[in-house]
Structures are given as C-alpha cells and as structure tokens.
Amino acid sequence: MKQLQVALAERSYPIFIGRDLLGRSELWREYIRGSQVCIVTNETIAPLYLAQLRSKLSGLSVVEVILPDGEQFKSLATLNQVFDALLAANQNRKTTLIALGGGVVGDMCGFAAACYQRGVNFIQMPTTLLSMVDSSVGGKTGVNHPLGKNMIGAFHQPQCVVADLSLLDSLPPREYSAGVAEVIKYGLICDAEFFDWLEANIDKLMARDSEVLAEAVYRSCHDKALVVAEDETEQDRRAILNLGHTYGHAIETAEGYGNWLHGEAVAAGMVLAVALSVKLGWLEPVLLERTRSLLAKAALPLDPPDDMNVDQFLQLMGRDKKVIDGRIRLVLLKALGEAVVTSEAPVALIKEGLLEAGVRA
Ligand code: NAD
Ligand code: GLY
C-alpha cells in the first residue's frame, strides 16, 4: 500500500492507495469519530460494494442513501435525498458521511457534509479512476445548476481518502479512459518527468497493470496534493488543475451533462489549450503531437463535438469561474510541466484555435 498526506495544517489528511483497502478497516475506521455513519452511493455501485463496506461498520448506526446514477442527477434536488435520510435517522453533528462512488457521488456527498448542520465529517472512498486521482482529493464539493456545471458548492476537506484500486476491476473501459485524461493532465501542468513516464507506460496503464496503475494514482495524488496545499481555495495557483476544463465544461454543458464524460471533455479541451499555447509561440508544436498521441493511446477524444459552433463555445466559456471582469482566463502551458493561468490569449486567437480544430463558425 502507498500512502501520502495532503498538508493543510489542521485540515491535513491521508490518502491510502492500494488493493483491497475497503476490507482493511483498521486503516480508515479511526477517521469515523462518532457512532453514526451515512453511506452515500449510487444504484450502480451499491450492488457491487455496499455490502462489503457495511460489513466493516459493525457497532455503528448506519444509514444508506442510494442515489440515481448520472451527472444529470448531480443537482440540489437529488441532494435533498441525503438530507432527508440524515434527518429521518436523527443523525447528529458527530455523524460521518462516507462517499462510496465516483466524482458525482463524491462531490455530492462532500457538499452534503459541508451543509448538514453547518458541517460534518466525511470520508472519500472513490470508485472510479477519475475520482481517485482528482475529485476525491482537495475538498471541492458541489452540484450542477442548469446554467452551469459545479456552480453551487463549497470547499470541505475529507478526513481521509481510501483509494481501493481493486474497485476499478469493475470500471467500464470508457470510464477508465476518462480517468486517464486527468492523470495525463498532471504531467502537462506540473510534472514533465511524469509525462515522459506516462509515454513509456501508457500501454501498461491501459491494460490496468497493478504496479503501473498504483504508481499513476500515487503520482497524480502527490502532484494534486502539492498544488492544493499551496492554494486550498483556488485564489491563484490551484486553477492550473483546470487545464482543458474551460473548454471541457463548455462541451459538457452544450452536449448535456453525461453525454460526454467529464474526462473526455477535458481531453478534447486539453488538446485545444495545448494548441493555443503553441499558437501563442509558448510551446514547440511537437508537444501538441505528443499530447494528441498520448490521449489517443488512452482512447480519448481529441477533437471537440461537431455540433458546436464558435459563438456557443465562447458564450459558455465566458461563464467559467475563472472569468474576471468579463475576460476569459485560460490555463495554458509555457512549457511541458509548466502551466499558467492567463488572460493573455486574445479572443480572436481563441476563435482561430476553435476554427482550426474544426468547430463551426
Ligand atoms: P461518475 O461519478 O459519474 O462515475 C462514472 C460512472 O461509473 C457512473 O455510472 C458510476 O456509477 C460508475 N461507477 C463508478 N465506480 C464504478 C465501479 N467501480 N465499477 C463500475 N462502475 C462504476 O464520474 P467520475 O468520472 O468519477 O466523476 C465525474 C464527476 O467528478 C463530475 O461531476 C465532475 O464535475 C467531478 N469532478 C470533481 C472534481 C473535484 O475536484 N471535486 C474534480 C474532477 C471532477
Ligand atoms: N479538479 C480541480 C481542482 O480540484 O481544483
């Protein structure tokens, strides 16, 4: 098992990475402080792993909330199911919520924990690759609004993260690839050596080789933890974690939540962001080729959807949380492993980049 720490003073917490960790409750049970627990999961994951988790919670008063599955249910309306269950079971401020699921369950459970009785503890037990390497770490929680993704939320750090890699055995290939997009992101934004390593190991990673997978999850969490420790509430540096996300969120919103997976939209968005960095003269064109090649080997989309037009992109990108005074700020690369958040790209150049990627005028 590998372990690392997210260093946030009194809000610091460990991340455990390895196989069969759900069964090793001696690792994580100490992070349940009271006698009450509420497991939040969904209808796909419950039949696979809920009984296993529940069997490790003997002696505690346990409530289970099984949410419908899908990004389209990441809403305030669905979140109410968690509050209804907590209140119906008289769960108090000492309860610990456990998120057993991917990023949707993790973001919703974390937000419920941030809000319930003005804040209770929670534990992340991510079940997708994307949630292991990204969403379970760093305390961003929330739900979508019809007018924008993740627009309602809070920063609320978990007590610990349990990344049990054996749960990925049941993850469908398309979801696995979506997680690899976020893994590749770390190489691009802050870890050139990791990018080189990924190029050398991508075939093994796609074959879910145990050692390579554990190393990829460890290195991703390590990189993310450093960025989060520097800038927990995204005043500045943390925004680099959003490489490709301004484009990606526009794609997700335009296509309808859930039709393009988050990681797929991020992959196409990263290609657009790297291409724009090349257009600005900041990067050698070969890096665009290397990025495209790595993402292609991970079976990820390289191009934006063909039913979006440039104005639609710009309008949706203008709603991004990074926009200040109406100016689109993007995460772009000055070099491999060196991301910046910048409004230096003129709108005309952003438009040109979209047109060159095949987006309709
Ligand atoms: P997801 O939670 O929708 O899970 C993907 C699908 O896989 C779902 O159908 C789920 O039921 C299923 N699934 C999950 N684990 C499984 C398993 N072990 N076996 C079989 N099926 C399984 O999607 P995701 O990619 O994990 O997360 C995407 C969400 O994460 C988005 O809402 C995104 O906004 C959010 N996100 C948040 C952060 C953050 O910092 N909080 C970062 C990145 C993404
Ligand atoms: N996924 C972006 C962040 O956690 O900041």
Side-chain angles (χ1 to χ4, degrees):
M1 189 200 66
K2 294 171 187 269
Q3 181 175 342
L4 51 89
Q5 188 80 357
V6 184
L8 288 169
E10 71 282 359
R11 288 182 307 288
S12 298
Y13 53 93
I15 304 173
F16 304 110
I17 300 163
R19 287 191 70 86
D20 304 318
L21 300 188
L22 230 58
R24 290 186 57 190
S25 55
E26 73 279 6
L27 283 176
W28 48 263
R29 236 188 104 147
E30 65 178 286
Y31 296 94
I32 298 171
R33 303 256 155 75
S35 60
Q36 297 179 319
V37 165
C38 172
I39 305 170
V40 180
T41 188
N42 77 20
E43 61 201 4
T44 303
I45 300 150
L48 297 171
Y49 304 115
L50 183 55
Q52 193 186 342
L53 174 57
R54 209 192 156 112
S55 73
K56 296 292 167 189
L57 297 171
S58 56
L60 299 171
S61 163
V62 181
V63 173
E64 295 166 1
V65 183
I66 300 175
L67 300 173
D69 185 1
E71 182 76 34
Q72 64 274 33
F73 297 109
K74 188 177 165 183
S75 65
L76 280 173
T78 310
L79 196 68
N80 243 338
Q81 290 184 28
V82 182
F83 300 132
D84 290 348
L86 287 164
L87 287 164
N90 288 319
Q91 291 232 335
N92 60 38
R93 297 188 65 200
K94 290 265 164 57
T95 184
T96 298
L97 274 54
I98 300 181
L100 177 69
V104 169
V105 165
D107 280 13
M108 291 179 77
C109 177
F111 188 42
C115 300
Y116 187 64
Q117 303 203 5
R118 300 195 182 85
V120 297
N121 286 346
F122 84 113
I123 292 175
Q124 288 275 17
M125 294 194 174
T127 63
T128 62
L129 181 56
L130 185 140
S131 55
M132 289 183 189
V133 299
D134 192 356
S135 60
S136 66
V137 176
K140 277 191 184 176
T141 72
V143 294
N144 299 328
H145 185 279
L147 294 181
K149 203 175 141 56
N150 294 331
M151 282 293 165
I152 319 288
F155 286 96
H156 190 57
Q157 301 293 343
Q159 303 309 113
C160 71
V161 179
V162 181
D164 182 341
L165 302 175
S166 47
L167 306 192
L168 298 181
D169 293 350
S170 56
L171 192 68
R174 195 176 156 202
E175 297 292 350
Y176 187 83
S177 285
V180 175
E182 300 281 5
V183 172
I184 293 171
K185 175 188 80 180
Y186 295 109
L188 287 167
I189 60 171
C190 63
D191 196 342
E193 196 184 279
F194 185 38
F195 191 88
D196 294 344
W197 181 89
L198 283 167
E199 286 182 316
N201 288 284
I202 189 69
D203 293 339
K204 283 187 179 169
L205 182 60
M206 293 314 292
R208 308 190 191 195
D209 174 277
S210 291
E211 271 178 36
V212 167
L213 174 57
E215 180 60 22
V217 173
Y218 176 84
R219 190 76 171 246
S220 301
C221 290
H222 169 270
D223 289 349
K224 178 156 187 180
L226 284 182
V227 175
V228 168
E230 231 178 282
D231 178 21
E232 182 181 6
T233 56
E234 199 170 310
Q235 302 306 309
D236 183 24
R237 170 126 176 112
R238 182 167 176 166
I240 67 164
L241 296 170
N242 289 323
L243 177 71
H245 285 56
T246 306
Y247 292 106
H249 285 168
I251 294 171
E252 282 180 274
T253 307
E255 296 299 302
Y257 296 135
N259 290 324
W260 271 59
L261 300 182
H262 177 72
E264 292 173 340
V266 166
M270 288 196 297
V271 173
L272 286 163
V274 171
L276 189 57
S277 309
V278 171
K279 283 178 83 62
L280 282 160
W282 295 351
L283 283 184
E284 293 295 325
V286 69
L287 192 68
L288 178 58
E289 284 323 303
R290 286 175 69 187
T291 304
R292 288 179 68 91
S293 162
L294 194 53
L295 292 169
K297 285 180 184 157
L300 284 158
L302 307 179
D303 300 310
D306 48 22
D307 58 352
M308 283 183 75
N309 63 44
V310 171
D311 284 345
Q312 199 180 5
F313 251 108
L314 291 176
Q315 193 200 0
L316 291 168
M317 288 168 76
R319 287 201 203 130
D320 186 76
K321 289 198 264 327
K322 287 187 293 304
V323 168
I324 296 180
D325 296 334
R327 295 200 64 169
I328 295 178
R329 287 163 74 239
L330 291 170
V331 182
L332 298 176
L333 300 187
K334 289 273 184 180
L336 177 60
E338 199 187 317
V340 288
V341 187
T342 178
S343 51
E344 277 179 61
V347 173
L349 206 67
I350 299 175
K351 272 188 185 177
E352 210 177 281
L354 287 166
L355 289 168
E356 281 172 13
V359 178
R360 283 192 280 118

